[in-house]
Amino acid sequence: MLTGKTIVLGVTGSIAAYKTANLASMLVKLNADVHVIMTQNATHFITPMTFETLTNNKCIVDTFDRNFNFDVKHVSLAKKGDLFLVAPCTANVIGKVACGICDDMLTTTIMATKAPVLFSPAMNTGMWENPILQDNLKKLKNYGYHIIAPVEGRLACGDIGSGKMPAEETLLEHILLHLAKEKDLKGRRVLITAGPTQEPIDPVRCITNHSSGKMGYAIAKMAVLRGAEVTLVSGPVAIQPFTGIKKVSVTTAQEMFDAVTTRSQDQDVIIMCSAVADYTPSHCSSQKMKKGDDDLNIPLSRTKDILQYLGDHKPKGQVLVGFSMETENLLENSQAKLMKKHADLICANSISSRDTGFGVDTNKVTLISQTEVKELPLCSKEETADMILSHIADMIKA
């Protein structure tokens, strides 16, 4: 995913530097060319040899180091890097960059580069909340630098609060947001639904389905990587959304209907990937229904058809995509759904194979529009999501 990309990691004097070693390893596994610049203070927490072993590149610390082939290193790395990430970044380095001070290799190289620069602050809560630091962060943002906000947790000093550097996986997601994909959906607003709904019978029981949300979350991830402004309306699932996605959590079909329809008119693309209940109990008991000796009959009422509503109220230029999961007559049923719902594209897939459908990491989808039927190969859900979005991007261009 990062083949051909050069990433420069800046490491400053913080105990959180141990996380950056793992991040460097993760980047190398994605085929990135990783270079590390350390401040002198950072070497008290982790050694340059650690990064050299992980990246197979010399770790730069001393601005005047003579033990390498001659080039003006702060200029060559500044030109070579596709992205800079300073993680962990101390209040000291934030202050120096904000004020244009270049007194070591890291700050000098940041000043020289035109590549995107991301800062991941790591410090004591009191330092993080200091108004001077906050002013310096505002300066960096005004200059076009990117700030990855710290998270709350237990800090090395023993305090509990903000200032903790995010996990390596989160830092990687921020890098991928900038570099992983061509931004062919930049400026497009995309709304995606994912996961099941839960229709309550009583405070304990509900009617639901086997949807894991994996396909919808994969589409949301690939869409934000391609530059889209993504809103994810999600039923109850055990997945965390990718960095940069706005998540709206819902439970019932009615809640999903309301969340989608109140936002639908502002969207360029809507992808209905969720498994919405077609029926809901006509009455939800306020107390747990006790088990009896006889069978239980639960009257069901029809839920609102979200895709039908969207098709009937679709603004000009919007691309509406539905999903069709079938056990038989896949093409016939999906083509009928395309016409009835006034959709632009139906992604049809069957649950007849163990490699497709609910809960698994692979899928095989057939794209059906009014002009063509295109069968996609069996592949991971992220790869499927990317192919679906490429088809949608072509539809937008057309």
Side-chain angles (χ1 to χ4, degrees):
M1 191 174 280
L2 293 175
T3 301
K5 301 296 185 181
T6 298
I7 298 167
V8 181
L9 297 178
V11 184
T12 71
S14 166
I15 187 61
Y18 76 91
K19 294 182 180 179
T20 312
N22 189 34
L23 175 62
S25 177
M26 295 164 72
L27 291 168
V28 170
K29 290 176 182 177
L30 291 176
N31 298 318
D33 180 22
V34 181
H35 294 259
V36 178
I37 304 175
M38 300 178 69
T39 64
Q40 193 64 50
N41 286 344
T43 63
H44 294 292
F45 294 92
I46 191 168
T47 68
M49 183 177 293
T50 300
F51 291 108
E52 291 172 346
T53 303
L54 292 170
T55 66
N56 203 33
N57 285 315
K58 181 176 176 61
C59 181
I60 307 300
V61 179
D62 183 1
T63 306
F64 302 103
D65 182 6
R66 307 301 300 167
N67 190 28
F68 55 83
N69 292 333
F70 178 76
D71 58 0
V72 184
K73 207 65 181 179
H74 72 276
V75 175
S76 62
L77 274 181
K79 291 180 178 179
K80 187 177 182 180
D82 293 295
L83 179 140
F84 281 66
L85 170 63
V86 186
C89 188
T90 59
N92 179 53
V93 170
I94 289 171
K96 288 200 290 187
V97 176
C99 295
I101 298 172
C102 309
D103 60 354
D104 58 19
M105 179 61 82
L106 178 59
T107 52
T108 303
T109 309
I110 290 172
M111 184 64 73
T113 189
K114 294 183 179 179
V117 180
L118 285 62
F119 293 93
S120 182
M123 62 195 70
N124 168 267
T125 302
M127 296 177 70
W128 171 250
E129 294 175 349
N130 188 293
I132 299 174
L133 175 81
Q134 293 300 319
D135 282 346
N136 285 334
L137 291 173
K138 290 177 184 177
K139 285 183 182 180
L140 293 180
K141 291 178 183 178
N142 289 335
Y143 292 141
Y145 295 112
H146 306 272
I147 309 299
I148 302 173
V151 296
E152 292 190 2
R154 186 184 186 280
L155 307 177
C157 61
D159 290 349
I160 305 295
S162 296
K164 185 182 181 72
M165 191 171 83
E168 303 91 298
E169 291 79 7
T170 301
L171 299 179
L172 176 61
E173 288 185 2
H174 280 276
I175 293 172
L176 294 175
L177 273 178
H178 285 268
L179 298 180
K181 292 287 180 181
E182 178 189 352
K183 302 298 183 275
D184 57 348
L185 293 177
K186 186 176 182 179
R188 302 291 182 178
R189 288 164 294 187
V190 180
L191 187 148
I192 300 156
T193 66
T197 62
Q198 294 178 351
E199 310 303 316
I201 299 171
D202 62 22
V204 177
R205 306 174 183 90
C206 68
I207 297 174
T208 187
N209 57 63
H210 299 297
S211 174
S212 64
K214 289 183 177 181
M215 191 68 242
Y217 275 66
I219 296 174
K221 173 182 177 179
M222 303 314 290
V224 78
L225 287 178
R226 296 172 77 145
E229 180 184 328
V230 178
T231 301
L232 177 64
V233 180
S234 174
V237 298
I239 312 174
Q240 291 299 316
F242 196 83
T243 295
I245 294 171
K246 179 183 177 182
K247 181 183 176 182
V248 180
S249 296
V250 299
T251 302
T252 67
Q254 182 62 49
E255 289 173 354
M256 184 167 285
F257 179 90
D258 294 338
V260 171
T261 57
T262 55
R263 295 170 172 82
S264 61
Q265 293 298 304
D266 297 328
Q267 305 300 317
D268 298 301
V269 180
I270 298 180
I271 305 174
M272 288 293 301
C273 189
S274 54
V276 185
D278 295 323
Y279 295 92
T280 188
S282 301
H283 171 72
C284 176
S285 175
S286 61
Q287 301 295 328
K288 178 183 176 182
M289 298 170 64
K290 303 301 291 184
K291 180 172 61 177
D293 295 329
D294 298 325
D295 293 338
L296 177 66
N297 294 314
I298 303 175
L300 300 176
S301 301
R302 186 73 171 85
T303 59
K304 294 179 181 178
D305 191 323
I306 305 176
L307 185 60
Q308 186 70 66
Y309 178 91
L310 295 174
D312 292 341
H313 298 84
K314 185 163 70 77
K316 184 178 180 180
Q318 185 183 83
V319 176
L320 179 60
V321 181
F323 268 70
S324 176
M325 181 167 283
E326 304 289 344
T327 58
E328 59 182 359
N329 302 322
L330 179 69
L331 292 181
E332 294 85 347
N333 290 338
S334 299
Q335 288 171 329
K337 185 174 186 176
L338 176 79
M339 302 305 295
K340 181 181 179 182
K341 311 292 186 181
H342 309 299
D344 299 294
L345 184 69
I346 293 292
C347 303
N349 64 313
S350 172
I351 60 173
S352 59
S353 168
R354 65 181 181 181
D355 295 324
T356 61
F358 294 135
V360 298
D361 294 324
T362 54
N363 209 351
K364 186 176 182 180
V365 169
T366 300
L367 304 181
I368 302 171
S369 67
Q370 292 188 9
T371 58
E372 67 174 323
V373 174
K374 182 179 181 181
E375 185 174 331
L376 303 182
L378 177 68
C379 53
S380 73
K381 286 187 174 177
E382 286 194 2
E383 291 170 322
T384 299
D386 212 25
M387 288 186 279
I388 292 171
L389 289 169
S390 291
H391 194 87
I392 292 171
D394 290 340
M395 294 175 70
I396 291 173
K397 293 176 183 177

